[in-house]
Amino acid sequence: MLYFDEAGYTGADLTNEKQPYFTLASVCLDDDDLEKIRSDIDCDKWGKELHFSSMYSNYPGRTLLEKIFSHSLLDERSVMLAFADKRYCIYAQIVDILIETFYYEQGVNIYRGAYNLAMANCMYYGAILHPNKELIKEYEISFVTMIRVKDEDSIEDFYRTTEKLRADKGTTEMLRELLCLVSQTYDTIEDTLEIAPFHMDLTVPLFSGMIQKWYAKTRNKYDVVFDSSEPFFANKDLLFSLRDMKNEETKVGYGRNKHIYPFPVGNIKIARSHEEFGIQLADLFASALNFVLTPRKDKFTAYQDALRLYPLFQSVEINIAPSTADFIERRMKDVKGIDPLNFICENITP
């Protein structure tokens, strides 16, 4: 069984400064392992549902967390983590929603050869290194607002801010060229914005990456249990559709970045966390990772440093975050394979 839970969820609000990261954790355990962990950590003495937010701020809670994070059954074999840098995701979504559509209508596929990845990284670094921090903040907020509100005023405000940023003396030539592409999407923006409200939700891409990695490691199609929280509930129909494709098992994508479809999972169940100890464990790992990633200047910075020493929090392979130049260069050479979006659109049941 795979148990999932998340932390730092803000839906489409990618500009939330208090929660800059979205994290997801999965725990792969059977009933016997779960019962052994409960017994070993003396969970019943805690007397209530395990939640990181109510544990890290007090000594008994931190003591119990230490037992959990150092338990021999809770290591890289049974726990998988993922995270998304929300600020980077703003620029990835600008490329995905606006620029990709602009090129698609001209018959150009920017996913083949990872040009979308290169553009998202160029935009992101051009933004974070820009000297006019207030203008960059205004630009990011105007994009997120347009996607969420989708009215005429928000559209005009976003493109007006795009032009303001293009003209700013602190804008690099590379960023200016990409902003020029964004400006050209104005004529088709109304069609582009016919997207689902949860299009910018980060749950599905991270969950998908984790499922694919579990399947690659074990070749098992695990049953999945979600917490009954908004992100999973909102996307359950899409996940069912990806799982229930009628085609033969197919590797989809380019080069080394390939996924298996139909989605390699068994039953998908949404449960209440207080009824599933596995979900509670997933919550602890997701919340702890979020705690580790989020900058702090309070009395818990020492505990944050202590959590960073656990191996599971030191290297998280599944992420949506800025890439190194070497990684992008390797990905741009991956041009052989089946286009994932076309494949899904052709095989998914509406």
Side-chain angles (χ1 to χ4, degrees):
M1 190 76 75
L2 282 176
Y3 299 91
F4 281 83
D5 204 4
E6 44 75 25
Y9 178 72
T10 56
D13 180 12
L14 302 180
T15 60
N16 191 306
E17 294 181 353
K18 292 183 178 180
Q19 299 189 71
Y21 293 95
F22 173 74
T23 54
L24 187 64
S26 57
V27 175
C28 182
L29 295 166
D30 61 27
D31 290 342
D32 290 340
D33 288 338
L34 288 170
E35 191 54 43
K36 177 171 175 51
I37 294 170
R38 287 185 71 104
S39 176
D40 289 348
I41 67 175
D42 210 2
C43 185
D44 292 338
K45 281 189 176 181
W46 181 250
K48 49 189 171 182
E49 184 177 348
L50 302 180
H51 279 296
F52 183 83
S53 60
S54 63
M55 297 171 70
Y56 79 87
S57 60
N58 58 84
Y59 179 76
R62 288 195 297 273
T63 301
L64 184 54
L65 287 171
E66 182 180 357
K67 291 181 180 179
I68 293 169
F69 294 149
S70 60
H71 196 282
S72 60
L73 289 176
L74 293 169
D75 57 17
E76 70 280 353
R77 295 167 298 177
S78 61
V79 179
M80 191 178 295
L81 304 178
F83 75 89
D85 180 332
K86 294 178 187 177
R87 191 176 185 193
Y88 170 76
C89 289
I90 292 173
Y91 296 95
Q93 293 286 5
I94 290 173
V95 173
D96 180 58
I97 296 173
L98 302 181
I99 295 178
E100 189 276 337
T101 303
F102 173 77
Y103 274 119
Y104 179 81
E105 293 185 355
Q106 300 178 59
V108 178
N109 182 357
I110 66 171
Y111 296 125
R112 185 174 184 271
Y115 287 100
N116 63 313
L117 182 63
M119 286 189 281
N121 277 267
C122 286
M123 288 198 78
Y124 171 78
Y125 284 114
I128 65 169
L129 297 174
H130 200 288
N132 193 336
K133 304 302 181 186
E134 288 302 314
L135 179 56
I136 292 297
K137 183 177 180 180
E138 179 184 349
Y139 185 65
E140 292 170 359
I141 291 174
S142 68
F143 172 72
V144 172
T145 301
M146 178 181 71
I147 299 301
R148 298 178 72 187
V149 178
K150 302 179 184 179
D151 64 7
E152 186 175 336
D153 288 343
S154 64
I155 293 171
E156 294 298 328
D157 181 62
F158 170 70
Y159 284 98
R160 184 167 51 249
T161 310
T162 299
E163 294 306 308
K164 190 192 303 185
L165 185 54
R166 278 181 64 191
D168 192 89
K169 62 182 181 180
T171 302
T172 63
E173 189 59 35
M174 177 66 75
L175 179 57
R176 186 172 287 112
E177 289 179 7
L178 289 167
L179 291 169
C180 182
L181 279 176
V182 173
S183 296
Q184 294 179 66
T185 66
Y186 178 80
D187 292 338
T188 58
I189 188 61
E190 291 188 2
D191 293 335
T192 302
L193 291 181
E194 291 181 0
I195 55 177
F198 282 87
H199 184 87
M200 292 205 297
D201 186 345
L202 304 171
T203 308
V204 169
L206 290 186
F207 172 74
S208 177
M210 296 174 88
I211 288 295
Q212 298 291 341
K213 196 166 185 66
W214 279 118
Y215 189 58
K217 284 176 62 174
T218 67
R219 305 309 294 179
N220 287 327
K221 295 183 179 181
Y222 292 105
D223 290 342
V224 170
V225 181
F226 294 140
D227 176 34
S228 56
S229 56
E230 184 178 15
F232 290 121
F233 185 80
N235 291 293
K236 63 182 178 64
D237 291 340
L238 172 60
L239 298 177
F240 288 147
S241 296
L242 294 173
R243 181 198 62 185
D244 297 336
M245 287 180 174
K246 302 302 182 184
N247 54 281
E248 296 292 325
E249 186 173 290
T250 307
K251 285 187 177 181
V252 176
Y254 298 110
R256 290 159 290 184
N257 188 45
K258 290 181 179 177
H259 284 183
I260 298 291
Y261 290 100
F263 211 38
V265 296
N267 294 323
I268 298 176
K269 174 186 175 183
I270 296 177
R272 296 177 178 179
S273 60
H274 70 271
E275 297 174 348
E276 296 285 355
F277 183 60
I279 291 179
Q280 294 176 44
L281 292 175
D283 166 79
L284 297 182
F285 279 99
S287 298
L289 176 60
N290 207 288
F291 188 88
V292 166
L293 292 172
T294 303
R296 309 187 70 87
K297 294 182 179 180
D298 59 17
K299 64 181 180 180
F300 295 110
T301 54
Y303 185 59
Q304 186 181 45
D305 291 338
L307 285 178
R308 289 193 178 107
L309 298 178
Y310 290 101
L312 279 170
F313 301 130
Q314 292 179 0
S315 179
V316 181
E317 294 182 11
I318 301 173
N319 60 71
I320 306 174
S323 306
T324 64
D326 288 343
F327 179 81
I328 295 173
E329 186 176 353
R330 290 197 303 271
R331 284 290 312 278
M332 293 184 78
K333 294 176 182 177
D334 292 338
V335 296
K336 294 182 179 180
I338 299 171
D339 182 80
L341 292 185
N342 287 342
F343 182 86
I344 291 172
C345 290
E346 290 170 1
N347 290 281
I348 201 170
T349 302

